[in-house]
Amino acid sequence: MKSYSVKKRMLLSAVAFSSVGVLLAGCSGAGGAATEDGPVSLTLATVNNPQMKDMEELKGAFEEAHPDITVNFVSMEENDLRDAVTKDVATQGGQYDIVTVGSYEVPIWGQNDWLVDLGPLAEADTAYNVDDLLPPVREALTVDDSLYAVPFYGESSFLMYNQEMFAAAGLSMPTNPTWDEVAGFARTLKTDDVAGICLRGKPGWGELFAPLTTVVQTFGGGWFDEDWNATVNSPEFTEAVTFYTDLVKDAGEADPVSTGFTECLNLFSQGNAAMWYDATSAAGPLEADTSAVAGKVGYVHAPVKETDEAGWLWAWNLAIPNTSTKQDAAWEFVSWATSTEYIDLVGTTLGWERVPPGSRTSTYENPDYLEAAAAFAPITKDIMLAVNPTQPGVNPQPWVGIQYVTVPEFQDLGNQVSQNIADVFAGRDTVENVLDKGQELATTVGDAQK
């Protein structure tokens, strides 16, 4: 192992996002006991996806029950959220009392002592029922028996398809399709007005490389071998990226570099795409009254090539930075927003299909949810319990995680390689050249782990 610590590497990675002067100017002392005499105003940094917007819409119920606590949401796109929160937490800026943080960051930040251990708070809160958290998601958020975040919702990935379009074309979707079958369907269904498939092309390790890494893995590739040797320009990785970019260019959306989760959701929910491979959490918005395809969508396992499953495992979670001076009030909101009480509130207020999925076992025992989400709830639970974050691909790997590598440098690595792939979509570079550059970057990252 390299001599400097994971904490320092993460801090250096955060500093790379902005000027050192600005970051250091924002530093303040870490830790400190909560000072909650009188009204408390909390600042929550979150991603601007539909489930989080629902939380903001419903926060009035919490504030009514807690008249001394106000919660202010700062909503951002996924890439911007990661940038802003990583800077703040790594430099102990103290801007946020609650942060929305992904499964990738939680174990790294927990080991760096940047997040409050929520385990004792959750165990002491008899109404919270911490044992109800879905086991694989809770495990991903736990480091050395410390629970550094609690899930707002969890997800895997699956393939969504417009059943009316398939029926009109005389096509039948298998329950476990291969990528070759999906590519054939997409090229058949592509028209001037309808994309055959929507796949993320927006740069960012959490955007493009969330689905693309699962494609790489089922094609037999990976970012590193089990000895941390980089394998980014291996034949398998190259074949997968070539397959993905060719499929998008032939039968995908018109502007892939500007298309991430939100854009694909809009395209597919408006009936302008025949298929979409993405997060299982998309199913709720697709079945909402506002969706043009509600009741018309079929859900099947992630397409495969060489593996039996190819779905990812992810959770958007709520955590409390150690720098917050309002930790007791922050836990009051975090425990409410991730409770069965909140799930019931969403179900009875906004509709059961909009309940945050993949966080609690009891959600999949709730008859109201199972009735409203009959099309996608059972397959979501099955996939989340079937994927293997220890070895998601063909070959062994020295980290736990599917669509990410749990080292601090991966954030920059994934972002840079995905940015270069944007040039492939634009016709300015080749897959081989882009991955040769990625191999050089990944070699430096891998050498730091040896």
Side-chain angles (χ1 to χ4, degrees):
M1 293 289 289
K2 204 165 182 176
S3 57
Y4 58 79
S5 66
V6 169
K7 181 174 182 177
K8 185 172 183 179
R9 298 205 311 272
M10 193 68 184
L11 180 57
L12 290 172
S13 180
V15 168
F17 288 123
S18 185
S19 71
V20 174
V22 171
L23 288 173
L24 293 180
C27 289
S28 64
T35 56
E36 299 174 9
D37 297 330
V40 174
S41 180
L42 300 173
T43 301
L44 188 160
T46 191
V47 64
N48 62 347
N49 64 25
Q51 288 84 358
M52 299 303 182
K53 291 178 180 176
D54 287 347
M55 178 167 56
E56 184 173 14
E57 181 179 343
L58 296 174
K59 73 175 180 117
F62 171 83
E63 292 171 335
E64 183 177 352
H66 302 76
D68 290 337
I69 302 176
T70 301
V71 185
N72 301 303
F73 277 59
V74 180
S75 298
M76 293 168 263
E77 290 193 356
E78 186 170 331
N79 287 341
D80 295 335
L81 174 77
R82 287 202 168 91
D83 190 357
V85 173
T86 301
K87 287 177 193 171
D88 187 70
V89 174
T91 61
Q92 301 188 353
Q95 183 177 354
Y96 307 114
D97 301 296
I98 303 168
V99 293
T100 303
V101 59
S103 301
Y104 161 68
E105 291 91 352
V106 170
I108 299 172
W109 294 8
Q111 287 178 317
N112 289 347
D113 198 28
W114 292 343
L115 301 175
V116 173
D117 178 5
L118 301 181
L121 294 169
E123 294 286 352
D125 189 342
T126 55
Y128 187 67
N129 193 7
V130 66
D131 293 332
D132 186 42
L133 300 179
L134 209 61
V137 177
R138 180 178 177 180
E139 182 179 352
L141 307 177
T142 301
V143 179
D144 296 332
D145 297 325
S146 294
L147 182 67
Y148 287 108
V150 286
F152 183 70
Y153 71 82
E155 64 184 29
S156 183
S157 55
F158 56 16
L159 183 70
M160 298 158 273
Y161 68 100
N162 187 308
Q163 297 181 94
E164 286 189 344
M165 292 182 186
F166 269 68
L171 300 175
S172 179
M173 176 66 78
T175 302
N176 294 86
T178 67
W179 270 115
D180 290 334
E181 290 172 324
V182 169
F185 295 150
R187 291 184 170 97
T188 298
L189 294 169
K190 166 72 174 175
T191 70
D192 290 341
D193 300 321
V194 176
I197 189 168
C198 196
L199 294 169
R200 300 187 197 185
K202 182 181 287 187
W205 76 263
E207 283 281 10
L208 170 63
F209 266 120
L212 180 51
T213 295
T214 69
V215 178
V216 169
Q217 288 163 338
T218 196
F219 271 63
W223 287 91
F224 302 94
D225 68 16
E226 59 182 334
D227 296 318
W228 287 107
N229 298 307
T231 54
V232 173
N233 63 354
S234 67
E236 295 83 4
F237 205 120
T238 303
E239 182 186 6
V241 175
T242 301
F243 172 87
Y244 189 97
T245 54
D246 283 351
L247 179 56
V248 171
K249 286 188 284 189
D250 290 351
E253 64 275 12
D255 184 12
V257 177
S258 300
T259 303
F261 173 85
T262 301
E263 292 76 17
C264 274
L265 173 61
N266 292 335
L267 196 70
F268 189 81
S269 65
Q270 293 166 8
N272 294 322
M275 292 180 286
W276 178 24
Y277 170 58
D278 215 298
T280 56
S281 58
L286 291 179
E287 300 297 339
D289 293 338
T290 54
S291 169
V293 298
K296 303 175 184 177
V297 182
Y299 304 90
V300 296
H301 286 242
V304 295
K305 182 94 171 167
E306 302 291 342
T307 58
D308 293 332
E309 295 282 349
W312 68 57
L313 185 65
W314 182 255
W316 279 116
N317 315 283
L318 297 182
I320 303 173
N322 263 328
T323 49
S324 174
T325 59
K326 307 162 189 173
Q327 295 174 7
D328 289 344
W331 171 249
E332 286 293 319
F333 184 78
V334 167
S335 61
W336 172 81
T338 60
S339 67
T340 54
E341 173 191 354
Y342 176 80
I343 289 172
D344 289 342
L345 179 65
V346 175
T348 55
T349 304
L350 303 178
W352 286 101
E353 73 281 354
R354 287 169 65 172
V355 160
S359 61
R360 288 185 169 274
T361 301
S362 59
T363 300
Y364 297 93
E365 298 167 351
N366 185 314
D368 292 322
Y369 177 69
L370 292 177
E371 180 180 357
F376 59 86
I379 190 173
T380 295
K381 182 182 178 183
D382 288 347
I383 294 173
M384 290 189 69
L385 296 176
V387 297
N388 181 3
T390 303
Q391 186 180 323
V394 172
N395 301 308
Q397 62 182 39
W399 70 92
V400 177
I402 297 179
Q403 73 275 32
Y404 52 83
V405 182
T406 49
V407 297
E409 297 88 344
F410 179 71
Q411 183 164 289
D412 280 344
L413 173 63
N415 287 343
Q416 290 188 52
V417 178
S418 67
Q419 189 65 55
N420 291 336
I421 290 177
D423 287 338
V424 176
F425 285 125
R428 294 190 294 264
D429 210 337
T430 65
V431 170
E432 290 77 9
N433 191 45
V434 162
L435 296 185
D436 282 344
K437 297 176 188 173
Q439 177 73 10
E440 293 182 15
L441 297 170
T443 297
T444 301
V445 173
D447 288 346
Q449 317 306 319
K450 295 178 180 177

